[in-house]
Amino acid sequence: MPRRPAPTIRPLAPSAPRRRHDATGGADLSRRLAAVRLGQGASSLHPLTDSAANAALESYDRGVKDAFDRIVPVLKRLSALQHEDDFVARAQALAQAELGFSLPLPILEKAWVSQLDMRSLFAWCVFETYEQTSDGFFRDDPLQGQPGSPAADEFNAFLLSCGFHLLDATPCADGRLAHAIAFALRLPFSSVRRRPHAGALFDVENTVNRWVKTEHRRYREGVPNPAHDDTRYLKVVLYHFSSLDPTHEGCAAHGSDDALAASCGRQRLMEFQQAVENSFCCGASVDLLLLGIDTDTDAIRVHVPGMDGSTRLDHWLDAATVYEATRHLQPEEARRRIAELATAAAASTPDPGMVRLISRLLEHNISQIDYVRQYHHGHYADAGHAERFIGVGIGFKEIHLRNLTYFAYMDTVEEGAPDMDVGVKIFKGLNVSRGLPVPVVVRFDYNGKVPGARERAVRHAQRVQEAIENRYPDLFAQGLLHALLTVRDQERHTPAEAVGSTISLTTAGGH
Amino acid sequence: MPRRPAPTIRPLAPSAPRRRHDATGGADLSRRLAAVRLGQGASSLHPLTDSAANAALESYDRGVKDAFDRIVPVLKRLSALQHEDDFVARAQALAQAELGFSLPLPILEKAWVSQLDMRSLFAWCVFETYEQTSDGFFRDDPLQGQPGSPAADEFNAFLLSCGFHLLDATPCADGRLAHAIAFALRLPFSSVRRRPHAGALFDVENTVNRWVKTEHRRYREGVPNPAHDDTRYLKVVLYHFSSLDPTHEGCAAHGSDDALAASCGRQRLMEFQQAVENSFCCGASVDLLLLGIDTDTDAIRVHVPGMDGSTRLDHWLDAATVYEATRHLQPEEARRRIAELATAAAASTPDPGMVRLISRLLEHNISQIDYVRQYHHGHYADAGHAERFIGVGIGFKEIHLRNLTYFAYMDTVEEGAPDMDVGVKIFKGLNVSRGLPVPVVVRFDYNGKVPGARERAVRHAQRVQEAIENRYPDLFAQGLLHALLTVRDQERHTPAEAVGSTISLTTAGGH
């Protein structure tokens, strides 16, 4: 397995051309009219909206996606140049200018023999761009949420003051929710334990293990607070639905049935709570919160729980409603009103700390509603799949952008095959149909304090690559599936490290 | 997947014919002579030997293995009968008399059409016998070591008095060590956390997780003792070697190189210790103990550690030496002498609690040395593989017999494929060469207190069955590989539950 070179770093140009969002696409007229109504008043933002944050987030999102989306146009131009005499030099100049990195010489130098191996080149560029994105995330903290950042410290203190010592959230693994933590909920990414799963159906046994680790650290180290402090571990499920096309663009794992998505989410939450209560003595328990999100508008739904632990499936507080009810108020007045609405929406008398947290989430989400109105005409143009690569494994702390990545979280392909199959099917439509390969980034995080852990993570990634090749032999044989293997030390704030790939660069000229 | 019926229980007859151990088999003369010398004096037992325990253990071992070994002779007799008029009735009578259970009617009833499906029938009998063994283990406690038994309570208290709150042992997964805990070390099975691995190379990350769970329970519940008590978690590695055929019958994972097996074991122990020390504050650590065992004689080697944590690879205390040095002493005098030998063998000044524990292990092992002398002429006749089935998955708490089971501990075939391949290769020699299938018992334990855990364990077993079928398609297609799927509630003292199998019984007459 040739080791890929350290990536050439080039900051993502904020002046890159803006992607056009065309609201007059293929959908039917009534939906469009609804969207226009939803978009009305987008010029006047909600008093609680943080428009500076919106601008920064939009710039980051656009910069990263543009970097991926520049690849195909550049490769098309290379294709036209490939039989010219000075092809290699011109190709490198073009790549440097447009993509910010050089291309692998072995591939360029072989072009004259037959033709440019466009499949390998495309995968190479996607992987290079992924690595730049990962590097930039850990270097520049574009979301301003890294451990020890002011935003993270402030939110951690706020969370504790609400009575929670850990926030563990499971959104659906759908790429349209990959931005849920950092954008839709506006939470510092380091303040949330994020474990996406298909259908938001998290693994109960694993979550109990994480709960044990959290409580053990409180007992042993008093981190984040001593075990005898009366705070709770909060487990959140975030299911999703589509307001514009509810029967097609909802959660695939639940057949686009949002009532089913919500009830399965609540069921899984209750199973987790019961597992903790049954397995441990001394009043061990956890708190639960069920949220939904509209993937068209990013407006959340909150199923406000009662202090007695009850959560209603048929009753929720919609952030769009909250937005409308408070848009003409002064900020402080709006905040009070949000808390009142949250209290009124509760399944029974709510816990005041829970109301404070939910009010904060709703306030954050108001910014996101305006973000979608400001930059996406009130709803996203890419209602369906438009991911740039598949992420397989455990990790991806640096991925917080909508529709950038199809996630297939798994330890082994044997367990995760159904998720992986869905991802490959999506990319057959997105890429293979255009003759381009499915780009898969394999990732396993490890604890660098544990001897041998990095080597085990590397072997783990290699084993998963082999299992992927075995599962999709035809795609792999045709060069229509490529994988980049990466590992990352989860104990340090460092980028992912590339440790291998399926791209073969065998001549002396390259890497 | 047809559900197999509840097994017919028949206590294993203590009057069953004794297996003959023929010391004049195929091995060369010099080995035989060595064995005879080793066996000399077997009539006079060591003063510390528990001959009643030896007799009980031998009876249990013989009973279980005879139950498996009766299958082929019975099937041979059925083969001769299969075209007789009253075949079904005679077959059932024979099976009931010889095996203690009836055979599945659908298989018997189809015999007249062509011939008896001997492969399915053999697998069915092996699985039925496994289920009887599992039932008997949890019902009768033949090893007298179940939770709450006097032996377990006594040993748990002794262990704590030595300064250890948990004994976590990893023997090699080799079937010749499956009896290590209950026979060779004579420990109550419920007092030891047993996790066999190929080459005794346990998983560091998993073991850290188990350490966290143990410590968390001490903090939360004071079980087995409060966290502030100055006791340690003791991790033991048990590697193996062969004194009679050291270059062939040692540990396959280490190329029959016992020095390598020992050094890899110590290395893994130190990695675990370092992982705990690096990952947790406040002086978190664990104690380590490296043991070896001679799979011919069951005599152990103890690499007695110093109080400073040092363990020497080139220096150990051999239980056979201890046996000879104490065989003419009175019991109390012998015990004192053992403690002196253990202290003298330490890498540096040893911890007194560790010396007490090691002395106890040596004393227990003296009984086992005599067991092998009494019942196996000083060394086992089945120096190589003679397993009756492959055990795949996580669990098998009830398996404590030498050479009964080839273990392939795994969550997924993707991770465990190398171990599984070795097992299948062994059984190609043992069974397929005779036209008999490889019998695989898949097993996943679950925590019955966790909602949905049983269903997840069942799906897990089914997924592993599918992966096995995919990995060995030719064997499976020819009926030369059969699997029984079982699950067990680890929180209760109940037998494994059969939840499916690859044996197809499709007519109305049967199950």
Side-chain angles (χ1 to χ4, degrees):
Chain A
M1 197 71 50
R3 177 70 195 288
R4 304 187 69 248
T8 317
I9 307 297
R10 179 208 188 198
L12 298 164
S15 59
R18 169 91 174 276
R19 273 207 302 162
R20 214 158 51 85
H21 300 287
D22 187 351
T24 62
D28 65 72
L29 185 63
S30 63
R31 282 210 279 139
R32 293 297 146 203
L33 288 174
V36 170
R37 281 195 300 276
L38 207 66
Q40 275 169 2
S43 54
S44 63
L45 299 178
H46 190 285
L48 292 175
T49 289
D50 182 344
S51 62
N54 281 4
L57 288 173
E58 202 276 336
S59 164
Y60 176 63
D61 179 79
R62 186 164 38 81
V64 171
K65 286 180 180 161
D66 280 348
F68 282 94
D69 296 343
R70 278 192 297 265
I71 294 171
V72 164
V74 168
L75 295 188
K76 281 185 178 166
R77 289 168 62 189
L78 289 190
S79 178
L81 293 175
Q82 65 180 300
H83 298 298
E84 312 254 335
D85 270 354
D86 53 352
F87 170 63
V88 171
R90 289 179 68 182
Q92 293 294 36
L94 182 63
Q96 273 292 353
E98 293 291 316
L99 304 176
F101 49 78
S102 300
L103 301 173
L105 269 180
I107 293 180
L108 299 184
E109 286 173 340
K110 275 189 242 159
W112 70 270
V113 180
S114 52
Q115 60 177 353
L116 202 49
D117 176 0
M118 209 50 97
R119 291 173 183 180
S120 292
L121 205 52
F122 172 80
W124 199 93
C125 291
V126 169
F127 295 155
E128 188 71 25
T129 308
Y130 159 73
E131 288 185 70
Q132 287 200 359
T133 303
S134 179
D135 289 350
F137 182 85
F138 289 101
R139 186 187 58 229
D140 305 330
D141 195 19
L143 300 177
Q144 306 279 306
Q146 72 180 36
S149 63
D153 287 348
E154 189 276 332
F155 183 76
N156 294 344
F158 170 75
L159 189 67
L160 265 180
S161 79
C162 294
F164 305 108
H165 56 262
L166 196 109
L167 180 54
D168 173 342
T170 290
C172 181
D174 191 303
R176 293 171 296 167
L177 275 76
H179 68 316
I181 300 300
F183 283 65
L185 299 176
R186 299 288 166 104
L187 298 175
F189 72 89
S190 65
S191 300
V192 184
R193 186 175 283 175
R194 177 179 67 158
R195 282 293 169 107
H197 282 275
L201 296 175
F202 62 90
D203 184 292
V204 173
E205 278 81 4
N206 283 353
T207 312
V208 170
N209 286 345
R210 293 211 298 282
W211 175 84
V212 168
K213 284 185 185 179
T214 304
E215 302 308 305
H216 174 247
R217 196 169 285 272
R218 293 176 72 217
Y219 278 111
R220 173 173 289 276
E221 306 182 4
V223 175
N225 66 345
H228 54 74
D229 283 6
D230 182 25
T231 55
R232 278 91 61 204
Y233 183 110
L234 178 61
K235 179 73 199 179
V236 176
V237 153
L238 180 63
Y239 68 90
H240 64 105
F241 55 93
S242 162
S243 57
L244 292 185
D245 194 359
T247 56
H248 297 102
E249 294 293 354
C251 183
H254 298 295
S256 285
D257 177 342
D258 54 329
L260 184 65
S263 79
C264 288
R266 185 179 70 168
Q267 178 66 24
R268 192 56 60 101
L269 286 170
M270 287 165 59
E271 286 175 359
F272 169 53
Q273 186 180 56
Q274 211 180 319
V276 169
E277 291 178 356
N278 292 355
S279 303
F280 301 92
C281 80
C282 324
S285 191
V286 292
D287 274 12
L288 310 175
L289 177 60
L290 181 65
L291 302 177
I293 185 167
D294 178 352
T295 51
D296 298 312
T297 66
D298 280 349
I300 61 170
R301 276 178 188 175
V302 185
H303 296 257
V304 185
M307 211 186 304
D308 58 2
S310 53
T311 290
R312 285 179 63 179
L313 293 176
D314 59 348
H315 193 63
W316 59 75
L317 180 57
D318 192 313
T321 309
V322 172
Y323 185 106
E324 291 304 321
T326 56
R327 65 185 303 172
H328 302 298
L329 304 179
Q330 293 301 308
E332 279 316 306
E333 205 184 334
R335 289 193 175 98
R336 274 195 300 277
R337 185 77 192 113
I338 293 174
E340 288 166 10
L341 287 167
T343 304
S348 65
T349 310
D351 172 71
M354 179 66 91
V355 169
R356 284 183 65 215
L357 175 64
I358 286 172
S359 301
R360 176 73 82 97
L361 297 179
L362 286 164
E363 178 179 338
H364 287 181
N365 188 239
I366 283 172
S367 281
Q368 183 66 10
I369 291 174
D370 270 339
Y371 171 93
V372 179
R373 292 183 184 195
Q374 286 177 279
Y375 300 109
H376 299 277
H377 302 280
H379 71 277
Y380 290 104
D382 52 347
H385 288 285
E387 290 92 342
R388 276 69 172 181
F389 63 92
I390 300 181
V392 170
I394 307 286
F396 294 110
K397 185 169 261 191
E398 70 275 35
I399 303 297
H400 291 275
L401 300 182
R402 186 180 185 278
N403 241 341
L404 182 70
T405 312
Y406 174 88
F407 286 114
Y409 287 94
M410 62 182 75
D411 249 334
T412 59
V413 175
E414 186 172 324
E415 296 163 301
D419 283 3
M420 181 87 198
D421 287 348
V422 170
V424 168
K425 188 178 165 199
I426 290 168
F427 273 83
K428 280 186 175 168
L430 293 173
N431 286 15
V432 176
S433 62
R434 297 188 289 159
L436 295 174
V438 183
V440 177
V441 178
V442 175
R443 168 76 160 277
F444 286 100
D445 284 2
Y446 63 92
N447 182 342
K449 293 176 177 170
V450 174
R454 181 183 170 282
E455 291 66 34
R456 286 189 286 276
V458 172
R459 281 199 300 275
H460 196 163
Q462 291 165 342
R463 199 166 58 219
V464 163
Q465 177 192 322
E466 197 183 310
I468 292 172
E469 292 176 10
N470 287 340
R471 190 161 184 91
Y472 311 103
D474 294 344
L475 287 177
F476 179 68
Q478 297 171 68
L480 285 172
L481 189 155
H482 274 294
L484 172 72
L485 308 190
T486 67
V487 299
R488 196 179 83 83
D489 183 352
Q490 68 198 13
E491 296 295 301
R492 295 168 58 217
H493 194 70
T494 51
E497 175 195 358
V499 295
S501 92
T502 56
I503 299 173
S504 163
L505 303 174
T506 45
T507 71
H511 312 293
Chain B
M1 197 69 52
R3 178 71 195 289
R4 304 186 70 250
T8 316
I9 307 299
R10 179 209 186 198
L12 299 163
S15 59
R18 168 91 175 275
R19 272 209 303 163
R20 215 157 50 84
H21 299 287
D22 186 353
T24 62
D28 64 73
L29 188 63
S30 64
R31 281 213 277 139
R32 292 297 148 202
L33 287 173
V36 169
R37 280 196 299 276
L38 206 67
Q40 276 170 1
S43 55
S44 64
L45 299 178
H46 191 284
L48 291 175
T49 289
D50 182 344
S51 61
N54 280 5
L57 288 172
E58 202 277 336
S59 164
Y60 176 62
D61 179 79
R62 185 165 39 80
V64 170
K65 287 179 179 161
D66 281 347
F68 282 95
D69 296 342
R70 278 192 297 264
I71 294 171
V72 165
V74 168
L75 295 187
K76 282 185 178 167
R77 289 168 64 189
L78 289 190
S79 178
L81 292 174
Q82 64 181 302
H83 298 298
E84 312 254 334
D85 270 354
D86 54 350
F87 169 63
V88 171
R90 289 178 66 181
Q92 294 295 37
L94 182 63
Q96 273 292 354
E98 293 291 315
L99 304 176
F101 49 79
S102 300
L103 301 173
L105 269 182
I107 294 181
L108 300 183
E109 285 173 341
K110 274 189 243 159
W112 70 271
V113 179
S114 51
Q115 59 177 353
L116 203 49
D117 176 0
M118 209 49 98
R119 292 173 182 179
S120 292
L121 205 52
F122 172 79
W124 198 94
C125 290
V126 169
F127 296 155
E128 187 71 26
T129 307
Y130 159 73
E131 288 185 69
Q132 288 201 356
T133 303
S134 180
D135 289 350
F137 182 84
F138 290 101
R139 186 188 57 230
D140 304 331
D141 195 20
L143 300 176
Q144 306 279 306
Q146 71 180 39
S149 63
D153 287 348
E154 188 279 330
F155 183 77
N156 294 344
F158 170 75
L159 189 68
L160 265 181
S161 79
C162 294
F164 304 107
H165 56 262
L166 197 110
L167 181 54
D168 173 341
T170 291
C172 179
D174 191 303
R176 292 171 297 167
L177 274 76
H179 68 315
I181 301 300
F183 283 65
L185 299 176
R186 299 289 167 103
L187 298 175
F189 72 90
S190 65
S191 300
V192 184
R193 187 176 282 176
R194 178 178 67 158
R195 282 293 170 108
H197 283 275
L201 297 175
F202 62 90
D203 183 292
V204 173
E205 279 81 4
N206 282 354
T207 313
V208 170
N209 286 346
R210 292 211 298 282
W211 176 83
V212 168
K213 285 185 185 178
T214 304
E215 300 310 303
H216 174 247
R217 196 169 286 272
R218 293 176 73 218
Y219 278 111
R220 173 174 289 276
E221 306 183 5
V223 174
N225 65 345
H228 54 74
D229 282 7
D230 182 25
T231 55
R232 279 92 61 205
Y233 182 110
L234 178 61
K235 179 72 199 180
V236 177
V237 153
L238 181 61
Y239 68 90
H240 63 104
F241 56 93
S242 162
S243 57
L244 293 185
D245 194 359
T247 56
H248 297 102
E249 294 293 354
C251 184
H254 299 294
S256 285
D257 178 342
D258 55 328
L260 183 66
S263 78
C264 288
R266 185 179 69 169
Q267 178 66 25
R268 193 55 62 98
L269 285 170
M270 287 165 59
E271 286 175 359
F272 169 53
Q273 188 180 56
Q274 212 180 318
V276 169
E277 290 178 356
N278 292 355
S279 304
F280 301 91
C281 80
C282 325
S285 190
V286 292
D287 275 11
L288 310 175
L289 178 59
L290 180 65
L291 302 178
I293 185 167
D294 177 353
T295 52
D296 298 311
T297 66
D298 280 348
I300 61 170
R301 278 178 185 175
V302 184
H303 296 256
V304 185
M307 211 184 306
D308 58 2
S310 54
T311 290
R312 286 179 62 178
L313 292 176
D314 59 349
H315 193 64
W316 59 76
L317 181 57
D318 192 313
T321 309
V322 172
Y323 184 106
E324 290 305 320
T326 56
R327 65 185 301 174
H328 302 298
L329 304 178
Q330 293 301 308
E332 278 316 306
E333 205 184 336
R335 290 193 175 98
R336 276 194 299 277
R337 184 78 192 113
I338 293 174
E340 289 165 8
L341 288 167
T343 304
S348 66
T349 310
D351 172 71
M354 180 67 90
V355 169
R356 285 183 66 216
L357 175 63
I358 287 172
S359 301
R360 176 75 80 99
L361 297 179
L362 286 164
E363 178 179 338
H364 288 180
N365 188 240
I366 283 171
S367 281
Q368 183 66 9
I369 292 174
D370 270 339
Y371 172 95
V372 179
R373 292 183 184 194
Q374 285 176 280
Y375 300 110
H376 299 276
H377 302 279
H379 72 280
Y380 290 104
D382 52 349
H385 288 284
E387 290 93 343
R388 275 68 171 182
F389 63 91
I390 299 181
V392 170
I394 307 285
F396 293 110
K397 184 169 262 190
E398 71 274 36
I399 303 296
H400 291 275
L401 299 183
R402 185 179 186 279
N403 241 340
L404 182 71
T405 312
Y406 174 88
F407 286 114
Y409 286 93
M410 63 182 74
D411 251 334
T412 59
V413 175
E414 186 172 324
E415 297 163 301
D419 283 4
M420 181 86 198
D421 287 348
V422 170
V424 169
K425 188 177 165 200
I426 290 168
F427 274 84
K428 279 185 177 171
L430 293 173
N431 285 16
V432 176
S433 63
R434 298 189 288 160
L436 295 174
V438 183
V440 177
V441 178
V442 175
R443 168 74 162 276
F444 287 100
D445 284 3
Y446 62 91
N447 182 342
K449 292 176 178 171
V450 173
R454 181 184 170 282
E455 290 66 33
R456 286 189 286 276
V458 171
R459 283 200 298 275
H460 196 164
Q462 290 165 342
R463 198 166 59 221
V464 163
Q465 178 192 324
E466 196 182 311
I468 292 172
E469 291 176 11
N470 287 339
R471 189 160 186 92
Y472 311 103
D474 294 344
L475 286 177
F476 179 69
Q478 297 172 68
L480 285 171
L481 190 154
H482 274 294
L484 172 72
L485 309 189
T486 67
V487 299
R488 196 178 83 83
D489 184 353
Q490 68 198 12
E491 297 295 300
R492 294 167 60 216
H493 194 71
T494 51
E497 174 194 358
V499 295
S501 92
T502 56
I503 299 173
S504 162
L505 303 174
T506 45
T507 70
H511 313 293

